[in-house]
Amino acid sequence: MQTDSSFTFVLFGGTGDLSMRKILPALFEAHRAGGMLADSGKIVAVARHIADRAAYIDWVNEHVKPHVSKNGVDETAWASFLDRIEFVKIDLGKPEDFTLLRDALSGRPGIRVFYLATGPSLFVPICHALASVGLNENSRIVLEKPLGYDLKSSNAINDAVGEIFAEEQIYRIDHYLGKEPVQNLLALRFGNVLFEPLWRREWVESIQITIAEELGVEARGDFYDNTGALRDMVQNHLLQLLSIVAMEPPHSMDSDSVRDEKLRVLRALKPIDPRDIGKVAVRGQYHAGVIRGSAVPAYATEPGVKQDSTTETFVAVKVEIENWRWAGVPFFLRTGKRLADRVAEIVVNFRAVPHSALGASALRGGANRLVIRLQPNETIRLYCLAKQPGEGMNLASVHLDLAFDRFFREGQMEAYQRLLLDVINGRLALFVRRDEQEAAWRWVEPILNEWAASNKPPKPYAAGTWGPAAASAMLAQHGTCWLEEEN
Protein backbone atom coordinates (compact mmCIF):
# COMPACT_ATOMS: atom_id res chain seq x y z
CA MET A 1 0.00 0.00 0.00
CA GLN A 2 2.19 2.80 -1.26
CA THR A 3 1.24 6.42 -0.69
CA ASP A 4 2.58 9.81 -1.67
CA SER A 5 -0.11 11.62 0.33
CA SER A 6 1.45 14.22 2.58
CA PHE A 7 -0.34 14.61 5.90
CA THR A 8 -0.21 16.08 9.37
CA PHE A 9 -1.67 13.79 12.01
CA VAL A 10 -2.73 15.80 15.08
CA LEU A 11 -3.25 13.63 18.15
CA PHE A 12 -5.41 15.11 20.90
CA GLY A 13 -4.97 13.21 24.15
CA GLY A 14 -1.37 12.61 23.16
CA THR A 15 -0.40 11.19 26.57
CA GLY A 16 -3.52 9.07 27.06
CA ASP A 17 -3.69 5.31 27.34
CA LEU A 18 -5.22 4.84 23.88
CA SER A 19 -2.47 6.92 22.27
CA MET A 20 0.25 5.01 24.07
CA ARG A 21 -1.08 1.47 23.53
CA LYS A 22 -2.73 1.68 20.13
CA ILE A 23 -2.44 4.82 18.04
CA LEU A 24 1.27 5.62 18.20
CA PRO A 25 2.29 1.92 17.98
CA ALA A 26 0.08 1.57 14.88
CA LEU A 27 1.64 4.62 13.26
CA PHE A 28 5.11 3.27 14.07
CA GLU A 29 4.32 -0.07 12.39
CA ALA A 30 3.13 1.77 9.28
CA HIS A 31 6.32 3.85 9.35
CA ARG A 32 8.55 0.81 9.89
CA ALA A 33 6.96 -1.08 7.00
CA GLY A 34 8.11 1.60 4.56
CA GLY A 35 6.03 3.23 1.84
CA MET A 36 2.80 3.34 3.84
CA LEU A 37 3.35 6.84 5.17
CA ALA A 38 4.59 9.71 3.05
CA ASP A 39 8.11 10.74 4.03
CA SER A 40 6.86 14.28 4.61
CA GLY A 41 4.07 13.15 6.96
CA LYS A 42 4.25 14.47 10.51
CA ILE A 43 2.61 13.58 13.83
CA VAL A 44 1.74 16.49 16.11
CA ALA A 45 0.88 15.45 19.67
CA VAL A 46 -1.23 17.73 21.83
CA ALA A 47 -1.24 17.66 25.64
CA ARG A 48 -1.20 20.12 28.51
CA HIS A 49 0.96 18.57 31.23
CA ILE A 50 4.11 18.00 29.13
CA ALA A 51 6.54 20.91 29.00
CA ASP A 52 8.02 20.62 25.50
CA ARG A 53 8.94 18.24 22.65
CA ALA A 54 11.98 16.81 24.44
CA ALA A 55 9.84 15.89 27.44
CA TYR A 56 7.21 14.37 25.17
CA ILE A 57 9.79 12.23 23.35
CA ASP A 58 10.97 10.97 26.74
CA TRP A 59 7.34 10.14 27.55
CA VAL A 60 6.93 8.25 24.25
CA ASN A 61 10.13 6.29 24.81
CA GLU A 62 8.89 5.24 28.24
CA HIS A 63 5.21 4.55 27.50
CA VAL A 64 4.95 3.67 23.79
CA LYS A 65 8.07 1.66 23.07
CA PRO A 66 6.98 -1.32 25.24
CA HIS A 67 3.88 -1.70 23.02
CA VAL A 68 5.58 -1.84 19.62
CA SER A 69 7.10 -4.68 17.64
CA LYS A 70 6.54 -7.89 19.60
CA ASN A 71 9.82 -9.31 18.29
CA GLY A 72 11.91 -6.34 19.38
CA VAL A 73 12.27 -2.76 18.27
CA ASP A 74 14.22 -1.78 15.18
CA GLU A 75 16.18 1.09 16.75
CA THR A 76 16.93 2.75 13.41
CA ALA A 77 13.25 2.73 12.46
CA TRP A 78 12.32 3.92 15.95
CA ALA A 79 14.71 6.86 15.78
CA SER A 80 13.39 7.94 12.36
CA PHE A 81 9.82 7.57 13.65
CA LEU A 82 10.57 9.90 16.54
CA ASP A 83 11.79 12.44 13.96
CA ARG A 84 8.21 12.57 12.65
CA ILE A 85 6.81 13.58 16.04
CA GLU A 86 6.26 17.19 17.06
CA PHE A 87 4.53 18.57 20.12
CA VAL A 88 2.25 21.50 20.95
CA LYS A 89 1.37 22.27 24.57
CA ILE A 90 -2.35 23.14 24.70
CA ASP A 91 -4.95 23.33 27.44
CA LEU A 92 -8.08 22.01 25.72
CA GLY A 93 -10.19 24.06 28.12
CA LYS A 94 -8.71 27.28 26.69
CA PRO A 95 -9.87 27.91 23.09
CA GLU A 96 -7.31 30.71 22.77
CA ASP A 97 -4.53 28.10 22.99
CA PHE A 98 -5.58 26.74 19.60
CA THR A 99 -3.84 29.67 17.92
CA LEU A 100 -0.62 27.87 18.93
CA LEU A 101 -1.78 24.81 17.00
CA ARG A 102 -2.81 26.91 14.00
CA ASP A 103 0.63 28.54 13.90
CA ALA A 104 2.35 25.13 14.21
CA LEU A 105 0.35 23.77 11.25
CA SER A 106 0.63 26.85 9.06
CA GLY A 107 2.00 26.23 5.59
CA ARG A 108 2.13 22.44 5.86
CA PRO A 109 1.23 20.53 2.68
CA GLY A 110 -1.40 17.82 2.42
CA ILE A 111 -4.37 16.78 4.51
CA ARG A 112 -4.77 17.40 8.23
CA VAL A 113 -6.10 14.57 10.41
CA PHE A 114 -7.39 15.42 13.88
CA TYR A 115 -7.66 12.33 16.09
CA LEU A 116 -9.75 12.96 19.22
CA ALA A 117 -8.42 10.34 21.65
CA THR A 118 -10.19 12.16 24.48
CA GLY A 119 -13.39 11.79 26.45
CA PRO A 120 -16.55 12.52 24.41
CA SER A 121 -17.29 15.59 26.54
CA LEU A 122 -14.36 17.29 24.76
CA PHE A 123 -15.40 16.45 21.19
CA VAL A 124 -17.62 19.49 20.64
CA PRO A 125 -15.36 22.05 22.39
CA ILE A 126 -12.36 20.83 20.37
CA CYS A 127 -14.30 21.06 17.09
CA HIS A 128 -15.49 24.59 17.90
CA ALA A 129 -11.95 25.64 18.83
CA LEU A 130 -10.57 24.18 15.58
CA ALA A 131 -13.19 26.08 13.57
CA SER A 132 -12.45 29.32 15.45
CA VAL A 133 -8.89 29.29 14.07
CA GLY A 134 -9.84 28.03 10.60
CA LEU A 135 -8.52 24.46 10.97
CA ASN A 136 -11.72 22.70 9.92
CA GLU A 137 -10.98 23.08 6.20
CA ASN A 138 -8.93 20.51 4.25
CA SER A 139 -9.09 18.20 7.25
CA ARG A 140 -10.55 14.98 8.61
CA ILE A 141 -11.62 14.29 12.16
CA VAL A 142 -11.61 10.92 13.94
CA LEU A 143 -14.07 10.36 16.79
CA GLU A 144 -13.53 7.56 19.29
CA LYS A 145 -16.38 5.79 21.03
CA PRO A 146 -18.49 6.19 23.06
CA LEU A 147 -20.27 8.82 21.00
CA GLY A 148 -22.98 9.77 23.45
CA TYR A 149 -24.87 8.08 26.23
CA ASP A 150 -28.08 7.44 24.30
CA LEU A 151 -29.71 8.46 21.02
CA LYS A 152 -30.42 12.02 22.19
CA SER A 153 -26.88 12.73 23.38
CA SER A 154 -25.38 11.01 20.34
CA ASN A 155 -27.47 13.21 18.05
CA ALA A 156 -26.42 16.29 20.02
CA ILE A 157 -22.74 15.49 19.46
CA ASN A 158 -23.27 14.62 15.80
CA ASP A 159 -25.29 17.80 15.23
CA ALA A 160 -22.59 19.96 16.79
CA VAL A 161 -19.71 18.27 14.97
CA GLY A 162 -21.75 18.28 11.74
CA GLU A 163 -22.06 22.06 11.86
CA ILE A 164 -18.27 22.29 11.60
CA PHE A 165 -17.26 19.24 9.55
CA ALA A 166 -19.07 17.68 6.60
CA GLU A 167 -20.11 14.03 6.96
CA GLU A 168 -17.38 12.93 4.54
CA GLN A 169 -14.81 14.56 6.86
CA ILE A 170 -15.98 12.61 9.94
CA TYR A 171 -14.45 9.20 10.72
CA ARG A 172 -16.27 7.42 13.57
CA ILE A 173 -13.86 4.66 14.40
CA ASP A 174 -14.73 1.10 15.45
CA HIS A 175 -11.51 -0.88 15.58
CA TYR A 176 -13.26 -4.25 15.18
CA LEU A 177 -14.06 -3.30 11.59
CA GLY A 178 -10.32 -3.07 10.89
CA LYS A 179 -9.52 -6.62 11.99
CA GLU A 180 -8.20 -8.96 9.29
CA PRO A 181 -10.84 -11.69 9.72
CA VAL A 182 -13.65 -9.13 9.33
CA GLN A 183 -12.10 -8.10 6.02
CA ASN A 184 -11.78 -11.76 5.12
CA LEU A 185 -15.43 -12.32 5.95
CA LEU A 186 -16.27 -9.93 3.12
CA ALA A 187 -13.85 -11.75 0.83
CA LEU A 188 -15.22 -15.13 1.88
CA ARG A 189 -18.82 -14.16 1.21
CA PHE A 190 -18.54 -11.98 -1.86
CA GLY A 191 -15.47 -13.48 -3.56
CA ASN A 192 -16.53 -17.13 -3.50
CA VAL A 193 -19.59 -18.72 -5.04
CA LEU A 194 -19.27 -21.54 -2.50
CA PHE A 195 -20.72 -19.66 0.49
CA GLU A 196 -23.13 -17.06 -0.82
CA PRO A 197 -25.93 -19.52 -1.77
CA LEU A 198 -25.76 -20.96 1.79
CA TRP A 199 -25.73 -17.58 3.54
CA ARG A 200 -29.46 -17.39 4.23
CA ARG A 201 -32.32 -18.67 6.35
CA GLU A 202 -32.79 -21.89 4.38
CA TRP A 203 -29.33 -23.15 5.37
CA VAL A 204 -28.32 -21.24 8.51
CA GLU A 205 -29.77 -22.36 11.82
CA SER A 206 -28.32 -19.67 14.10
CA ILE A 207 -25.41 -17.25 14.41
CA GLN A 208 -23.42 -16.33 17.52
CA ILE A 209 -21.19 -13.29 17.92
CA THR A 210 -19.09 -13.14 21.08
CA ILE A 211 -16.62 -10.59 22.44
CA ALA A 212 -15.34 -11.91 25.77
CA GLU A 213 -12.68 -10.38 28.01
CA GLU A 214 -10.74 -11.79 30.92
CA LEU A 215 -9.93 -8.30 32.19
CA GLY A 216 -12.16 -6.35 34.51
CA VAL A 217 -12.69 -2.60 34.37
CA GLU A 218 -9.02 -1.98 35.35
CA ALA A 219 -8.51 1.76 35.97
CA ARG A 220 -11.68 2.71 34.09
CA GLY A 221 -14.16 1.98 36.90
CA ASP A 222 -15.48 5.54 37.10
CA PHE A 223 -16.09 5.67 33.34
CA TYR A 224 -17.42 2.14 33.04
CA ASP A 225 -19.88 2.46 35.92
CA ASN A 226 -21.65 5.20 33.98
CA THR A 227 -21.56 3.25 30.72
CA GLY A 228 -22.00 -0.51 31.05
CA ALA A 229 -21.55 -3.34 28.57
CA LEU A 230 -24.62 -2.58 26.47
CA ARG A 231 -23.40 0.91 25.58
CA ASP A 232 -19.71 0.05 25.59
CA MET A 233 -19.85 -3.03 23.35
CA VAL A 234 -23.28 -3.99 21.99
CA GLN A 235 -24.39 -0.67 20.54
CA ASN A 236 -21.23 -0.34 18.48
CA HIS A 237 -18.87 -3.34 18.13
CA LEU A 238 -21.39 -6.18 18.20
CA LEU A 239 -24.05 -4.53 16.05
CA GLN A 240 -21.38 -3.50 13.55
CA LEU A 241 -20.14 -7.09 13.31
CA LEU A 242 -23.75 -8.25 12.96
CA SER A 243 -24.32 -5.86 10.06
CA ILE A 244 -21.19 -7.15 8.29
CA VAL A 245 -22.29 -10.78 8.73
CA ALA A 246 -25.87 -10.18 7.57
CA MET A 247 -25.51 -7.51 4.86
CA GLU A 248 -26.49 -8.00 1.23
CA PRO A 249 -23.74 -7.97 -1.41
CA PRO A 250 -22.86 -4.34 -2.22
CA HIS A 251 -22.56 -3.37 -5.88
CA SER A 252 -18.97 -2.27 -5.18
CA MET A 253 -16.62 -1.87 -2.22
CA ASP A 254 -16.76 1.92 -2.20
CA SER A 255 -17.57 3.46 1.16
CA ASP A 256 -21.21 4.33 0.70
CA SER A 257 -22.13 1.07 -1.06
CA VAL A 258 -20.84 -0.96 1.89
CA ARG A 259 -22.36 1.31 4.51
CA ASP A 260 -25.72 1.46 2.70
CA GLU A 261 -25.99 -2.33 3.01
CA LYS A 262 -24.98 -2.30 6.67
CA LEU A 263 -27.61 0.35 7.35
CA ARG A 264 -30.32 -1.80 5.77
CA VAL A 265 -29.49 -4.57 8.24
CA LEU A 266 -29.61 -2.22 11.24
CA ARG A 267 -32.94 -0.81 10.11
CA ALA A 268 -34.30 -4.34 9.67
CA LEU A 269 -33.56 -5.37 13.27
CA LYS A 270 -36.79 -6.53 14.88
CA PRO A 271 -37.78 -3.95 17.51
CA ILE A 272 -37.79 -5.35 21.02
CA ASP A 273 -41.05 -5.10 22.91
CA PRO A 274 -40.21 -3.86 26.43
CA ARG A 275 -42.44 -6.64 27.81
CA ASP A 276 -40.16 -9.25 26.18
CA ILE A 277 -36.80 -7.87 27.28
CA GLY A 278 -36.54 -10.38 30.11
CA LYS A 279 -36.84 -13.19 27.56
CA VAL A 280 -34.38 -11.92 24.94
CA ALA A 281 -31.78 -9.96 26.93
CA VAL A 282 -29.65 -11.07 29.89
CA ARG A 283 -27.55 -8.69 31.93
CA GLY A 284 -25.03 -9.76 34.50
CA GLN A 285 -22.38 -8.41 36.86
CA TYR A 286 -19.26 -10.28 37.92
CA HIS A 287 -18.60 -11.23 41.50
CA ALA A 288 -15.30 -12.34 42.99
CA GLY A 289 -13.76 -15.40 41.38
CA VAL A 290 -10.60 -16.99 40.03
CA ILE A 291 -9.07 -16.46 36.58
CA ARG A 292 -6.06 -18.56 35.55
CA GLY A 293 -5.31 -19.36 39.18
CA SER A 294 -5.49 -15.79 40.46
CA ALA A 295 -8.26 -14.44 42.68
CA VAL A 296 -9.99 -11.35 41.28
CA PRO A 297 -12.38 -9.00 43.10
CA ALA A 298 -16.06 -8.37 42.49
CA TYR A 299 -17.05 -5.53 40.18
CA ALA A 300 -18.67 -3.60 43.05
CA THR A 301 -15.31 -3.44 44.88
CA GLU A 302 -13.32 -2.17 41.88
CA PRO A 303 -11.85 1.37 42.23
CA GLY A 304 -14.26 4.03 41.00
CA VAL A 305 -17.32 1.73 41.10
CA LYS A 306 -20.28 2.44 43.40
CA GLN A 307 -20.75 -0.32 45.97
CA ASP A 308 -24.46 -0.62 45.15
CA SER A 309 -23.88 -0.39 41.39
CA THR A 310 -26.39 -2.07 39.08
CA THR A 311 -24.22 -1.52 35.99
CA GLU A 312 -24.00 -4.59 33.78
CA THR A 313 -20.62 -6.10 32.94
CA PHE A 314 -22.21 -8.87 30.84
CA VAL A 315 -24.89 -8.81 28.15
CA ALA A 316 -26.37 -11.59 26.04
CA VAL A 317 -29.16 -10.71 23.66
CA LYS A 318 -31.17 -12.48 20.98
CA VAL A 319 -31.57 -10.47 17.77
CA GLU A 320 -33.81 -11.09 14.78
CA ILE A 321 -33.60 -9.49 11.34
CA GLU A 322 -36.87 -8.92 9.56
CA ASN A 323 -36.00 -9.44 5.91
CA TRP A 324 -36.25 -12.25 3.35
CA ARG A 325 -32.70 -13.50 3.83
CA TRP A 326 -32.72 -13.85 7.62
CA ALA A 327 -36.34 -14.06 8.83
CA GLY A 328 -36.58 -16.61 11.64
CA VAL A 329 -32.82 -17.02 12.17
CA PRO A 330 -31.77 -16.06 15.72
CA PHE A 331 -28.57 -14.06 16.15
CA PHE A 332 -27.12 -14.35 19.66
CA LEU A 333 -24.82 -11.53 20.73
CA ARG A 334 -22.72 -11.80 23.88
CA THR A 335 -20.08 -9.72 25.63
CA GLY A 336 -18.68 -9.56 29.12
CA LYS A 337 -15.78 -8.78 31.41
CA ARG A 338 -13.99 -11.24 33.71
CA LEU A 339 -15.10 -14.19 31.60
CA ALA A 340 -13.29 -17.50 31.29
CA ASP A 341 -11.23 -16.54 28.26
CA ARG A 342 -10.35 -13.65 25.99
CA VAL A 343 -11.98 -14.36 22.67
CA ALA A 344 -13.87 -12.60 19.89
CA GLU A 345 -15.53 -14.81 17.31
CA ILE A 346 -18.41 -15.22 14.90
CA VAL A 347 -20.01 -18.68 14.75
CA VAL A 348 -22.28 -19.58 11.83
CA ASN A 349 -24.21 -22.79 12.56
CA PHE A 350 -25.59 -24.40 9.41
CA ARG A 351 -28.67 -26.58 9.46
CA ALA A 352 -28.44 -30.36 9.69
CA VAL A 353 -29.04 -32.50 6.62
CA PRO A 354 -32.76 -33.31 6.19
CA HIS A 355 -32.17 -37.08 6.26
CA SER A 356 -29.11 -39.18 7.01
CA ALA A 357 -28.30 -42.80 6.31
CA LEU A 358 -25.06 -42.27 8.24
CA GLY A 359 -26.41 -42.04 11.77
CA ALA A 360 -27.69 -39.44 14.20
CA SER A 361 -24.46 -37.40 14.27
CA ALA A 362 -25.16 -36.13 10.76
CA LEU A 363 -28.53 -34.85 11.90
CA ARG A 364 -27.10 -32.81 14.74
CA GLY A 365 -27.34 -29.05 14.33
CA GLY A 366 -23.94 -27.38 14.12
CA ALA A 367 -22.24 -30.38 12.50
CA ASN A 368 -21.46 -27.94 9.70
CA ARG A 369 -20.16 -24.72 11.18
CA LEU A 370 -18.02 -21.73 10.22
CA VAL A 371 -16.03 -20.13 13.05
CA ILE A 372 -14.39 -16.78 12.36
CA ARG A 373 -11.97 -16.02 15.20
CA LEU A 374 -11.10 -12.32 15.57
CA GLN A 375 -8.91 -12.63 18.65
CA PRO A 376 -6.58 -13.71 20.06
CA ASN A 377 -5.55 -15.88 17.08
CA GLU A 378 -7.11 -14.65 13.86
CA THR A 379 -8.38 -17.68 11.95
CA ILE A 380 -11.29 -18.94 9.87
CA ARG A 381 -12.26 -22.56 10.51
CA LEU A 382 -14.86 -24.61 8.60
CA TYR A 383 -16.19 -27.69 10.42
CA CYS A 384 -17.71 -30.68 8.67
CA LEU A 385 -18.17 -34.42 9.25
CA ALA A 386 -15.83 -37.14 7.97
CA LYS A 387 -15.55 -40.88 8.45
CA GLN A 388 -13.27 -42.01 11.22
CA PRO A 389 -10.59 -44.52 10.14
CA GLY A 390 -11.43 -48.11 10.87
CA GLU A 391 -14.37 -50.44 10.70
CA GLY A 392 -17.89 -49.09 10.42
CA MET A 393 -19.31 -45.77 9.30
CA ASN A 394 -18.47 -43.66 12.33
CA LEU A 395 -18.43 -39.91 11.79
CA ALA A 396 -16.24 -37.34 13.48
CA SER A 397 -15.99 -33.57 13.27
CA VAL A 398 -13.00 -32.30 11.30
CA HIS A 399 -12.10 -28.82 10.16
CA LEU A 400 -10.44 -26.90 7.38
CA ASP A 401 -8.27 -24.18 8.87
CA LEU A 402 -7.19 -20.84 7.45
CA ALA A 403 -4.64 -19.52 9.93
CA PHE A 404 -3.42 -16.27 8.44
CA ASP A 405 -0.04 -16.26 10.14
CA ARG A 406 0.78 -19.66 8.62
CA PHE A 407 -0.70 -19.14 5.16
CA PHE A 408 0.52 -15.62 4.36
CA ARG A 409 4.20 -14.83 4.70
CA GLU A 410 3.70 -11.12 5.15
CA GLY A 411 2.67 -10.09 8.64
CA GLN A 412 -0.90 -9.16 9.41
CA MET A 413 -1.81 -5.53 9.73
CA GLU A 414 -3.21 -4.54 13.11
CA ALA A 415 -6.71 -3.06 13.11
CA TYR A 416 -5.66 0.43 14.18
CA GLN A 417 -2.88 0.50 11.60
CA ARG A 418 -5.33 -0.29 8.79
CA LEU A 419 -7.88 2.25 10.00
CA LEU A 420 -5.36 5.06 10.50
CA LEU A 421 -4.02 4.51 6.99
CA ASP A 422 -7.60 4.62 5.70
CA VAL A 423 -8.14 7.98 7.42
CA ILE A 424 -4.94 9.41 5.97
CA ASN A 425 -5.87 8.14 2.50
CA GLY A 426 -9.52 9.17 2.69
CA ARG A 427 -11.20 5.75 2.70
CA LEU A 428 -14.46 5.75 4.66
CA ALA A 429 -15.81 2.21 4.12
CA LEU A 430 -14.62 0.88 7.50
CA PHE A 431 -15.97 3.81 9.49
CA VAL A 432 -19.44 4.24 10.92
CA ARG A 433 -21.79 6.65 9.18
CA ARG A 434 -24.13 8.78 11.25
CA ASP A 435 -27.32 7.04 10.11
CA GLU A 436 -25.81 3.66 11.07
CA GLN A 437 -25.06 4.95 14.53
CA GLU A 438 -28.55 6.36 14.95
CA ALA A 439 -30.15 3.06 13.88
CA ALA A 440 -28.03 1.15 16.42
CA TRP A 441 -28.92 3.52 19.26
CA ARG A 442 -32.59 3.36 18.31
CA TRP A 443 -32.57 -0.42 18.58
CA VAL A 444 -30.80 -0.65 21.97
CA GLU A 445 -32.75 2.16 23.67
CA PRO A 446 -35.76 0.02 24.74
CA ILE A 447 -33.34 -2.29 26.57
CA LEU A 448 -31.55 0.65 28.20
CA ASN A 449 -34.82 2.22 29.27
CA GLU A 450 -36.30 -0.99 30.64
CA TRP A 451 -33.17 -1.80 32.65
CA ALA A 452 -33.04 1.75 34.00
CA ALA A 453 -36.69 1.55 35.11
CA SER A 454 -36.38 -1.93 36.57
CA ASN A 455 -35.58 -2.57 40.20
CA LYS A 456 -34.04 -5.93 39.34
CA PRO A 457 -30.25 -6.09 39.80
CA PRO A 458 -28.03 -7.74 37.16
CA LYS A 459 -27.69 -11.49 37.47
CA PRO A 460 -24.49 -12.42 39.33
CA TYR A 461 -21.77 -14.57 37.81
CA ALA A 462 -18.41 -15.62 39.20
CA ALA A 463 -15.34 -14.12 37.57
CA GLY A 464 -13.67 -16.78 35.44
CA THR A 465 -16.93 -18.30 34.20
CA TRP A 466 -18.89 -17.66 31.00
CA GLY A 467 -21.51 -15.44 32.60
CA PRO A 468 -24.96 -16.00 34.12
CA ALA A 469 -26.69 -19.32 33.56
CA ALA A 470 -29.62 -17.39 32.07
CA ALA A 471 -27.52 -16.71 28.97
CA SER A 472 -27.20 -20.44 28.35
CA ALA A 473 -30.88 -21.00 29.11
CA MET A 474 -31.82 -18.44 26.47
CA LEU A 475 -30.04 -20.47 23.79
CA ALA A 476 -31.37 -23.75 25.15
CA GLN A 477 -34.88 -22.51 24.43
CA HIS A 478 -33.87 -22.54 20.76
CA GLY A 479 -32.29 -25.99 20.93
CA THR A 480 -28.71 -24.75 20.77
CA CYS A 481 -25.84 -23.70 23.04
CA TRP A 482 -22.80 -21.45 23.09
CA LEU A 483 -19.79 -22.85 21.24
CA GLU A 484 -17.72 -23.55 24.35
CA GLU A 485 -20.60 -25.60 25.79
CA GLU A 486 -20.61 -28.08 22.89
CA ASN A 487 -18.41 -30.61 24.65
Side-chain angles (χ1 to χ4, degrees):
M1 188 189 303
Q2 299 291 320
T3 183
D4 298 319
S5 303
S6 186
F7 67 91
T8 303
F9 188 97
V10 181
L11 181 56
F12 290 94
T15 57
D17 186 59
L18 180 64
S19 298
M20 300 297 103
R21 291 188 302 108
K22 295 294 184 181
I23 300 172
L24 288 172
L27 289 170
F28 168 72
E29 293 299 337
H31 168 85
R32 184 182 62 83
M36 290 185 175
L37 299 177
D39 292 341
S40 58
K42 294 292 184 181
I43 300 164
V44 179
V46 173
R48 67 176 179 178
H49 66 273
I50 299 289
D52 52 28
R53 180 182 182 276
Y56 186 72
I57 295 299
D58 289 342
W59 179 277
V60 169
N61 275 316
E62 180 181 353
H63 293 91
V64 178
K65 205 172 184 182
H67 297 291
V68 303
S69 297
K70 299 174 184 176
N71 298 321
V73 179
D74 180 334
E75 294 295 342
T76 301
W78 180 251
S80 60
F81 175 69
L82 294 180
D83 288 341
R84 287 186 185 269
I85 297 178
E86 300 175 6
F87 177 77
V88 179
K89 181 180 173 65
I90 288 180
D91 185 338
L92 298 181
K94 297 180 179 178
E96 61 272 18
D97 278 9
F98 279 70
T99 58
L100 301 173
L101 181 61
R102 179 197 61 197
D103 295 344
L105 302 184
S106 179
R108 293 175 182 266
I111 195 74
R112 292 187 294 260
V113 173
F114 298 111
Y115 198 115
L116 274 55
T118 67
S121 63
L122 292 173
F123 290 174
V124 174
I126 290 173
C127 289
H128 280 297
L130 289 171
S132 72
V133 294
L135 289 177
N136 56 321
E137 301 295 332
N138 191 35
S139 61
R140 298 169 186 143
I141 189 157
V142 185
L143 304 179
E144 268 285 348
K145 77 170 186 73
L147 203 65
Y149 187 78
D150 52 19
L151 179 60
K152 182 178 179 181
S153 59
S154 175
N155 281 340
I157 293 174
N158 278 316
D159 287 344
V161 175
E163 291 176 358
I164 297 165
F165 295 93
E167 179 64 27
E168 60 269 19
Q169 293 177 277
I170 303 172
Y171 291 69
R172 299 174 190 86
I173 194 166
D174 186 327
H175 70 275
Y176 274 87
L177 298 185
K179 289 182 176 292
E180 196 71 51
V182 176
Q183 304 302 295
N184 261 299
L185 176 58
L186 294 171
L188 194 75
R189 284 194 58 194
F190 306 135
N192 299 286
V193 72
L194 176 65
F195 288 104
E196 182 55 28
L198 303 179
W199 214 263
R200 58 188 64 250
R201 62 186 303 274
E202 290 84 357
W203 306 110
V204 175
E205 184 177 73
S206 66
I207 294 178
Q208 303 172 16
I209 306 178
T210 293
I211 301 176
E213 300 177 272
E214 287 184 336
L215 294 175
V217 294
E218 304 305 296
R220 300 167 67 236
D222 197 23
F223 158 78
Y224 195 89
D225 207 38
N226 292 299
T227 304
L230 188 65
R231 291 184 178 89
D232 191 43
M233 300 297 290
V234 177
Q235 183 272 331
N236 39 69
H237 297 327
L238 281 167
L239 287 183
Q240 281 293 314
L241 291 176
L242 169 68
S243 67
I244 291 283
V245 171
M247 65 188 277
E248 295 296 321
H251 74 82
S252 74
M253 294 307 292
D254 71 79
S255 59
D256 279 329
S257 294
V258 172
R259 296 191 295 179
D260 285 347
E261 298 303 336
K262 287 165 56 189
L263 177 63
R264 289 188 178 96
V265 173
L266 294 170
R267 286 179 171 170
L269 297 180
K270 182 180 180 179
I272 295 181
D273 188 322
R275 295 170 296 183
D276 294 333
I277 286 173
K279 301 176 184 176
V280 300
V282 176
R283 65 170 176 159
Q285 185 184 104
Y286 66 81
H287 287 200
V290 177
I291 296 180
R292 301 193 186 278
S294 299
V296 296
Y299 172 76
T301 65
E302 298 273 19
V305 175
K306 298 185 291 291
Q307 289 187 356
D308 59 349
S309 173
T310 59
T311 298
E312 76 282 356
T313 62
F314 175 95
V315 174
V317 60
K318 174 195 168 190
V319 182
E320 295 182 69
I321 300 174
E322 296 184 311
N323 62 20
W324 276 44
R325 182 184 289 267
W326 295 114
V329 176
F331 289 72
F332 298 104
L333 312 185
R334 175 178 60 163
T335 186
K337 291 188 175 296
R338 291 295 191 203
L339 297 183
D341 200 3
R342 173 180 175 264
V343 63
E345 64 189 7
I346 300 163
V347 180
V348 181
N349 291 312
F350 294 98
R351 295 190 184 278
V353 295
H355 170 75
S356 174
L358 302 175
S361 59
L363 295 172
R364 189 180 70 246
N368 297 149
R369 167 183 290 138
L370 185 69
V371 179
I372 300 142
R373 178 67 65 91
L374 308 179
Q375 66 184 28
N377 302 311
E378 299 182 339
T379 60
I380 295 178
R381 182 170 287 182
L382 177 64
Y383 288 83
C384 55
L385 294 176
K387 178 187 175 298
Q388 289 184 349
E391 185 179 0
M393 184 58 73
N394 298 312
L395 303 184
S397 179
V398 298
H399 60 263
L400 308 174
D401 202 347
L402 172 57
F404 301 111
D405 57 349
R406 295 202 303 267
F407 193 84
F408 297 107
R409 291 185 178 180
E410 58 271 20
Q412 292 184 55
M413 188 180 292
E414 293 290 336
Y416 268 97
Q417 182 181 344
R418 172 181 287 105
L419 294 173
L420 295 181
L421 289 171
D422 279 0
V423 176
I424 291 169
N425 292 295
R427 295 187 287 262
L428 277 159
L430 300 182
F431 295 85
V432 180
R433 204 166 59 191
R434 175 174 179 169
D435 47 10
E436 292 179 72
Q437 192 174 68
E438 289 178 358
W441 273 120
R442 194 170 290 112
W443 186 80
V444 302
E445 273 211 327
I447 307 175
L448 288 170
N449 294 338
E450 180 65 19
W451 285 352
S454 172
N455 292 321
K456 296 179 181 179
K459 296 182 183 300
Y461 64 96
T465 67
W466 282 103
S472 297
M474 182 172 67
L475 270 69
Q477 292 173 0
H478 294 272
T480 188
C481 63
W482 297 106
L483 182 61
E484 75 279 353
E485 296 172 338
E486 275 285 309
N487 298 318

